[in-house]
Amino acid sequence: CGGVGSILAALILGQRGLPRRHITFMYLAWTIGSLALVGFGLAGAVWQLQAISLLGGAFFTAGLVVWGTLLQTLVPGELLGRVTSLDWFVSTSLVPISFALTGPVSAGLGAQTTPVVAGMLAAGATDPQIVLVTHWQVSDNSADNINWALGKAAKYRELCDEYDWIG
């Protein structure tokens, strides 16, 4: 079902073109796709798993279609091979580590809790990017963007310190 969702998303984006706020759309699609992992941990029937797989595949593919299109259009042709290679290297470099950790983590947390936690962590890592990118698309002044981002980072650090999230 995930493959069907991927095909549908690619066909829809191929017919309609990129959304106006393409980077915000890309991060939002990846956030929703990450939340599909939560659904895998909470589903109680096969049809629910199929629906979650269809939606997760659609949202991940929608983000990848936008990302691939942006790479093809914004990276100069003479650098495209290098940039694409680096992109895939970085994207896949942690996969073996995730495979090595999945067994022990699921043994400790349980098979249903592991995808819930993984989905929440992935969505939590992607979601702040939406806020940053949305601001970046609104403001054209680089100094404003940098000052805004530094202010947000300082507030986030204060929150983390308050709840002792970061050592």
Side-chain angles (χ1 to χ4, degrees):
C1 289
V4 173
S6 294
I7 291 169
L8 290 174
L11 287 173
I12 290 169
L13 282 172
Q15 291 297 314
R16 297 191 61 167
L18 292 183
R20 186 174 58 85
R21 299 182 62 96
H22 46 271
I23 295 176
T24 302
F25 172 84
M26 177 182 69
Y27 278 115
L28 187 60
W30 286 339
T31 299
I32 294 169
S34 297
L35 289 174
L37 290 173
V38 175
F40 285 128
L42 300 176
V46 173
W47 70 267
Q48 293 170 341
L49 292 168
Q50 291 172 330
I52 292 164
S53 179
L54 185 127
L55 291 174
F59 281 107
F60 274 121
T61 298
L64 285 172
V65 166
V66 172
W67 177 250
T69 302
L70 291 175
L71 277 177
Q72 294 289 323
T73 57
L74 299 177
V75 175
E78 63 273 6
L79 296 175
L80 188 59
R82 292 181 199 151
V83 170
T84 303
S85 295
L86 180 63
D87 174 47
W88 277 103
F89 172 73
V90 171
S91 297
T92 60
S93 63
L94 296 177
V95 170
I97 295 170
S98 73
F99 286 167
L101 292 176
T102 300
V105 169
S106 64
L109 295 178
Q112 287 185 310
T113 306
T114 299
V116 172
V117 171
M120 296 303 286
L121 288 173
T126 307
D127 191 53
Q129 304 304 317
I130 296 170
V131 175
L132 290 172
V133 166
T134 301
H135 177 77
W136 243 260
Q137 290 179 347
V138 171
S139 175
D140 291 332
N141 186 337
S142 295
D144 287 345
N145 287 333
I146 292 168
N147 289 332
W148 180 86
L150 289 174
K152 290 294 182 185
K155 287 182 182 179
Y156 179 73
R157 179 64 189 193
E158 289 172 12
L159 182 67
C160 290
D161 287 342
E162 181 180 335
Y163 290 100
D164 196 30
W165 288 343
I166 298 176

PDB file of all heavy atoms in Angstrom, residues 31-44 49 52 111-124:
ATOM      1  N   THR A  31       7.014  15.595   7.933  1.00  0.00           N
ATOM      2  CA  THR A  31       6.542  15.508   9.317  1.00  0.00           C
ATOM      3  C   THR A  31       5.350  14.567   9.413  1.00  0.00           C
ATOM      4  O   THR A  31       5.288  13.695  10.280  1.00  0.00           O
ATOM      5  CB  THR A  31       6.164  16.907   9.858  1.00  0.00           C
ATOM      6  OG1 THR A  31       7.323  17.738   9.828  1.00  0.00           O
ATOM      7  CG2 THR A  31       5.646  16.826  11.277  1.00  0.00           C
ATOM      8  N   ILE A  32       4.389  14.726   8.512  1.00  0.00           N
ATOM      9  CA  ILE A  32       3.204  13.860   8.520  1.00  0.00           C
ATOM     10  C   ILE A  32       3.602  12.418   8.204  1.00  0.00           C
ATOM     11  O   ILE A  32       3.105  11.474   8.822  1.00  0.00           O
ATOM     12  CB  ILE A  32       2.142  14.380   7.531  1.00  0.00           C
ATOM     13  CG1 ILE A  32       1.625  15.738   8.015  1.00  0.00           C
ATOM     14  CG2 ILE A  32       0.986  13.382   7.386  1.00  0.00           C
ATOM     15  CD1 ILE A  32       0.768  16.467   7.003  1.00  0.00           C
ATOM     16  N   GLY A  33       4.529  12.245   7.252  1.00  0.00           N
ATOM     17  CA  GLY A  33       5.020  10.905   6.948  1.00  0.00           C
ATOM     18  C   GLY A  33       5.681  10.252   8.149  1.00  0.00           C
ATOM     19  O   GLY A  33       5.522   9.061   8.399  1.00  0.00           O
ATOM     20  N   SER A  34       6.412  11.055   8.926  1.00  0.00           N
ATOM     21  CA  SER A  34       7.046  10.524  10.147  1.00  0.00           C
ATOM     22  C   SER A  34       6.006  10.103  11.171  1.00  0.00           C
ATOM     23  O   SER A  34       6.183   9.115  11.880  1.00  0.00           O
ATOM     24  CB  SER A  34       7.963  11.583  10.767  1.00  0.00           C
ATOM     25  OG  SER A  34       9.007  11.905   9.887  1.00  0.00           O
ATOM     26  N   LEU A  35       4.914  10.853  11.234  1.00  0.00           N
ATOM     27  CA  LEU A  35       3.847  10.499  12.175  1.00  0.00           C
ATOM     28  C   LEU A  35       3.142   9.199  11.786  1.00  0.00           C
ATOM     29  O   LEU A  35       2.478   8.590  12.625  1.00  0.00           O
ATOM     30  CB  LEU A  35       2.849  11.646  12.297  1.00  0.00           C
ATOM     31  CG  LEU A  35       3.380  12.880  13.030  1.00  0.00           C
ATOM     32  CD1 LEU A  35       2.369  14.004  12.968  1.00  0.00           C
ATOM     33  CD2 LEU A  35       3.744  12.547  14.465  1.00  0.00           C
ATOM     34  N   ALA A  36       3.309   8.767  10.545  1.00  0.00           N
ATOM     35  CA  ALA A  36       2.751   7.474  10.143  1.00  0.00           C
ATOM     36  C   ALA A  36       3.371   6.345  10.965  1.00  0.00           C
ATOM     37  O   ALA A  36       2.708   5.338  11.241  1.00  0.00           O
ATOM     38  CB  ALA A  36       2.968   7.232   8.649  1.00  0.00           C
ATOM     39  N   LEU A  37       4.633   6.525  11.366  1.00  0.00           N
ATOM     40  CA  LEU A  37       5.265   5.510  12.219  1.00  0.00           C
ATOM     41  C   LEU A  37       4.497   5.348  13.527  1.00  0.00           C
ATOM     42  O   LEU A  37       4.376   4.243  14.050  1.00  0.00           O
ATOM     43  CB  LEU A  37       6.715   5.893  12.521  1.00  0.00           C
ATOM     44  CG  LEU A  37       7.697   5.823  11.362  1.00  0.00           C
ATOM     45  CD1 LEU A  37       9.047   6.389  11.779  1.00  0.00           C
ATOM     46  CD2 LEU A  37       7.844   4.394  10.885  1.00  0.00           C
ATOM     47  N   VAL A  38       3.981   6.450  14.051  1.00  0.00           N
ATOM     48  CA  VAL A  38       3.175   6.385  15.278  1.00  0.00           C
ATOM     49  C   VAL A  38       1.956   5.509  15.023  1.00  0.00           C
ATOM     50  O   VAL A  38       1.582   4.671  15.850  1.00  0.00           O
ATOM     51  CB  VAL A  38       2.758   7.802  15.731  1.00  0.00           C
ATOM     52  CG1 VAL A  38       1.814   7.734  16.918  1.00  0.00           C
ATOM     53  CG2 VAL A  38       3.985   8.636  16.064  1.00  0.00           C
ATOM     54  N   GLY A  39       1.342   5.705  13.861  1.00  0.00           N
ATOM     55  CA  GLY A  39       0.172   4.901  13.500  1.00  0.00           C
ATOM     56  C   GLY A  39       0.479   3.418  13.448  1.00  0.00           C
ATOM     57  O   GLY A  39      -0.347   2.591  13.847  1.00  0.00           O
ATOM     58  N   PHE A  40       1.675   3.057  12.976  1.00  0.00           N
ATOM     59  CA  PHE A  40       2.044   1.641  12.934  1.00  0.00           C
ATOM     60  C   PHE A  40       2.075   1.038  14.334  1.00  0.00           C
ATOM     61  O   PHE A  40       1.753  -0.124  14.528  1.00  0.00           O
ATOM     62  CB  PHE A  40       3.404   1.440  12.251  1.00  0.00           C
ATOM     63  CG  PHE A  40       3.363   1.585  10.758  1.00  0.00           C
ATOM     64  CD1 PHE A  40       4.237   2.438  10.116  1.00  0.00           C
ATOM     65  CD2 PHE A  40       2.455   0.879   9.995  1.00  0.00           C
ATOM     66  CE1 PHE A  40       4.212   2.576   8.745  1.00  0.00           C
ATOM     67  CE2 PHE A  40       2.409   1.006   8.617  1.00  0.00           C
ATOM     68  CZ  PHE A  40       3.300   1.861   7.991  1.00  0.00           C
ATOM     69  N   GLY A  41       2.487   1.827  15.308  1.00  0.00           N
ATOM     70  CA  GLY A  41       2.528   1.326  16.677  1.00  0.00           C
ATOM     71  C   GLY A  41       1.165   1.269  17.340  1.00  0.00           C
ATOM     72  O   GLY A  41       0.953   0.495  18.265  1.00  0.00           O
ATOM     73  N   LEU A  42       0.220   2.085  16.853  1.00  0.00           N
ATOM     74  CA  LEU A  42      -1.097   2.165  17.491  1.00  0.00           C
ATOM     75  C   LEU A  42      -2.183   1.372  16.770  1.00  0.00           C
ATOM     76  O   LEU A  42      -3.246   1.128  17.342  1.00  0.00           O
ATOM     77  CB  LEU A  42      -1.535   3.635  17.583  1.00  0.00           C
ATOM     78  CG  LEU A  42      -0.617   4.560  18.384  1.00  0.00           C
ATOM     79  CD1 LEU A  42      -1.116   5.991  18.316  1.00  0.00           C
ATOM     80  CD2 LEU A  42      -0.493   4.095  19.824  1.00  0.00           C
ATOM     81  N   ALA A  43      -1.937   0.978  15.532  1.00  0.00           N
ATOM     82  CA  ALA A  43      -2.966   0.289  14.730  1.00  0.00           C
ATOM     83  C   ALA A  43      -3.313  -1.065  15.341  1.00  0.00           C
ATOM     84  O   ALA A  43      -2.466  -1.752  15.910  1.00  0.00           O
ATOM     85  CB  ALA A  43      -2.485   0.116  13.297  1.00  0.00           C
ATOM     86  N   GLY A  44      -4.576  -1.430  15.192  1.00  0.00           N
ATOM     87  CA  GLY A  44      -5.026  -2.694  15.746  1.00  0.00           C
ATOM     88  C   GLY A  44      -5.559  -3.673  14.710  1.00  0.00           C
ATOM     89  O   GLY A  44      -5.917  -4.793  15.051  1.00  0.00           O
ATOM     90  N   LEU A  49      -3.296  -0.666   9.168  1.00  0.00           N
ATOM     91  CA  LEU A  49      -1.893  -0.648   8.764  1.00  0.00           C
ATOM     92  C   LEU A  49      -1.762  -0.326   7.274  1.00  0.00           C
ATOM     93  O   LEU A  49      -0.850   0.402   6.867  1.00  0.00           O
ATOM     94  CB  LEU A  49      -1.235  -1.995   9.079  1.00  0.00           C
ATOM     95  CG  LEU A  49      -1.074  -2.329  10.563  1.00  0.00           C
ATOM     96  CD1 LEU A  49      -0.690  -3.785  10.749  1.00  0.00           C
ATOM     97  CD2 LEU A  49      -0.045  -1.406  11.201  1.00  0.00           C
ATOM     98  N   ILE A  52      -2.436   3.424   6.819  1.00  0.00           N
ATOM     99  CA  ILE A  52      -1.298   4.189   7.321  1.00  0.00           C
ATOM    100  C   ILE A  52      -0.124   4.084   6.351  1.00  0.00           C
ATOM    101  O   ILE A  52       0.558   5.068   6.067  1.00  0.00           O
ATOM    102  CB  ILE A  52      -0.911   3.700   8.730  1.00  0.00           C
ATOM    103  CG1 ILE A  52      -2.014   4.059   9.725  1.00  0.00           C
ATOM    104  CG2 ILE A  52       0.429   4.266   9.169  1.00  0.00           C
ATOM    105  CD1 ILE A  52      -1.918   3.315  11.041  1.00  0.00           C
ATOM    106  N   ALA A 111       7.610  -3.794  21.044  1.00  0.00           N
ATOM    107  CA  ALA A 111       7.444  -3.680  19.595  1.00  0.00           C
ATOM    108  C   ALA A 111       6.439  -2.604  19.196  1.00  0.00           C
ATOM    109  O   ALA A 111       6.570  -2.005  18.134  1.00  0.00           O
ATOM    110  CB  ALA A 111       7.030  -5.025  19.005  1.00  0.00           C
ATOM    111  N   GLN A 112       5.440  -2.345  20.015  1.00  0.00           N
ATOM    112  CA  GLN A 112       4.458  -1.321  19.666  1.00  0.00           C
ATOM    113  C   GLN A 112       4.914   0.070  20.084  1.00  0.00           C
ATOM    114  O   GLN A 112       4.593   1.055  19.423  1.00  0.00           O
ATOM    115  CB  GLN A 112       3.104  -1.628  20.296  1.00  0.00           C
ATOM    116  CG  GLN A 112       2.402  -2.795  19.617  1.00  0.00           C
ATOM    117  CD  GLN A 112       1.014  -2.998  20.169  1.00  0.00           C
ATOM    118  OE1 GLN A 112       0.839  -3.060  21.373  1.00  0.00           O
ATOM    119  NE2 GLN A 112       0.047  -3.105  19.286  1.00  0.00           N
ATOM    120  N   THR A 113       5.650   0.176  21.142  1.00  0.00           N
ATOM    121  CA  THR A 113       6.102   1.479  21.630  1.00  0.00           C
ATOM    122  C   THR A 113       7.226   2.045  20.763  1.00  0.00           C
ATOM    123  O   THR A 113       7.307   3.263  20.563  1.00  0.00           O
ATOM    124  CB  THR A 113       6.578   1.363  23.093  1.00  0.00           C
ATOM    125  OG1 THR A 113       5.537   0.785  23.867  1.00  0.00           O
ATOM    126  CG2 THR A 113       6.948   2.708  23.661  1.00  0.00           C
ATOM    127  N   THR A 114       8.079   1.194  20.220  1.00  0.00           N
ATOM    128  CA  THR A 114       9.230   1.651  19.442  1.00  0.00           C
ATOM    129  C   THR A 114       8.824   2.516  18.250  1.00  0.00           C
ATOM    130  O   THR A 114       9.367   3.612  18.082  1.00  0.00           O
ATOM    131  CB  THR A 114      10.093   0.458  18.994  1.00  0.00           C
ATOM    132  OG1 THR A 114      10.566  -0.218  20.166  1.00  0.00           O
ATOM    133  CG2 THR A 114      11.274   0.902  18.158  1.00  0.00           C
ATOM    134  N   PRO A 115       7.888   2.099  17.379  1.00  0.00           N
ATOM    135  CA  PRO A 115       7.535   2.991  16.269  1.00  0.00           C
ATOM    136  C   PRO A 115       6.840   4.270  16.727  1.00  0.00           C
ATOM    137  O   PRO A 115       6.969   5.307  16.083  1.00  0.00           O
ATOM    138  CB  PRO A 115       6.625   2.141  15.374  1.00  0.00           C
ATOM    139  CG  PRO A 115       6.182   1.006  16.205  1.00  0.00           C
ATOM    140  CD  PRO A 115       7.216   0.802  17.265  1.00  0.00           C
ATOM    141  N   VAL A 116       6.121   4.215  17.841  1.00  0.00           N
ATOM    142  CA  VAL A 116       5.481   5.430  18.364  1.00  0.00           C
ATOM    143  C   VAL A 116       6.556   6.439  18.752  1.00  0.00           C
ATOM    144  O   VAL A 116       6.507   7.613  18.371  1.00  0.00           O
ATOM    145  CB  VAL A 116       4.555   5.097  19.556  1.00  0.00           C
ATOM    146  CG1 VAL A 116       4.056   6.366  20.216  1.00  0.00           C
ATOM    147  CG2 VAL A 116       3.393   4.230  19.103  1.00  0.00           C
ATOM    148  N   VAL A 117       7.553   5.977  19.507  1.00  0.00           N
ATOM    149  CA  VAL A 117       8.640   6.866  19.935  1.00  0.00           C
ATOM    150  C   VAL A 117       9.440   7.345  18.721  1.00  0.00           C
ATOM    151  O   VAL A 117       9.766   8.539  18.600  1.00  0.00           O
ATOM    152  CB  VAL A 117       9.547   6.155  20.963  1.00  0.00           C
ATOM    153  CG1 VAL A 117      10.801   6.962  21.249  1.00  0.00           C
ATOM    154  CG2 VAL A 117       8.777   5.883  22.242  1.00  0.00           C
ATOM    155  N   ALA A 118       9.744   6.439  17.802  1.00  0.00           N
ATOM    156  CA  ALA A 118      10.520   6.813  16.607  1.00  0.00           C
ATOM    157  C   ALA A 118       9.771   7.844  15.767  1.00  0.00           C
ATOM    158  O   ALA A 118      10.373   8.817  15.288  1.00  0.00           O
ATOM    159  CB  ALA A 118      10.821   5.571  15.768  1.00  0.00           C
ATOM    160  N   GLY A 119       8.474   7.651  15.593  1.00  0.00           N
ATOM    161  CA  GLY A 119       7.686   8.606  14.817  1.00  0.00           C
ATOM    162  C   GLY A 119       7.627   9.967  15.473  1.00  0.00           C
ATOM    163  O   GLY A 119       7.727  11.005  14.804  1.00  0.00           O
ATOM    164  N   MET A 120       7.467   9.987  16.786  1.00  0.00           N
ATOM    165  CA  MET A 120       7.422  11.262  17.500  1.00  0.00           C
ATOM    166  C   MET A 120       8.783  11.970  17.440  1.00  0.00           C
ATOM    167  O   MET A 120       8.839  13.195  17.262  1.00  0.00           O
ATOM    168  CB  MET A 120       6.998  11.049  18.957  1.00  0.00           C
ATOM    169  CG  MET A 120       5.594  10.504  19.112  1.00  0.00           C
ATOM    170  SD  MET A 120       4.333  11.529  18.353  1.00  0.00           S
ATOM    171  CE  MET A 120       4.279  12.876  19.496  1.00  0.00           C
ATOM    172  N   LEU A 121       9.865  11.229  17.580  1.00  0.00           N
ATOM    173  CA  LEU A 121      11.190  11.835  17.483  1.00  0.00           C
ATOM    174  C   LEU A 121      11.452  12.382  16.084  1.00  0.00           C
ATOM    175  O   LEU A 121      11.977  13.496  15.930  1.00  0.00           O
ATOM    176  CB  LEU A 121      12.272  10.816  17.859  1.00  0.00           C
ATOM    177  CG  LEU A 121      12.379  10.458  19.333  1.00  0.00           C
ATOM    178  CD1 LEU A 121      13.379   9.315  19.536  1.00  0.00           C
ATOM    179  CD2 LEU A 121      12.791  11.671  20.156  1.00  0.00           C
ATOM    180  N   ALA A 122      11.083  11.608  15.059  1.00  0.00           N
ATOM    181  CA  ALA A 122      11.298  12.065  13.690  1.00  0.00           C
ATOM    182  C   ALA A 122      10.455  13.303  13.379  1.00  0.00           C
ATOM    183  O   ALA A 122      10.943  14.269  12.782  1.00  0.00           O
ATOM    184  CB  ALA A 122      10.973  10.934  12.705  1.00  0.00           C
ATOM    185  N   ALA A 123       9.199  13.273  13.780  1.00  0.00           N
ATOM    186  CA  ALA A 123       8.336  14.432  13.549  1.00  0.00           C
ATOM    187  C   ALA A 123       8.831  15.631  14.355  1.00  0.00           C
ATOM    188  O   ALA A 123       8.821  16.768  13.865  1.00  0.00           O
ATOM    189  CB  ALA A 123       6.895  14.108  13.914  1.00  0.00           C
ATOM    190  N   GLY A 124       9.290  15.390  15.567  1.00  0.00           N
ATOM    191  CA  GLY A 124       9.817  16.470  16.392  1.00  0.00           C
ATOM    192  C   GLY A 124      11.085  17.080  15.821  1.00  0.00           C
ATOM    193  O   GLY A 124      11.343  18.267  15.990  1.00  0.00           O
TER     194      GLY A 124
END
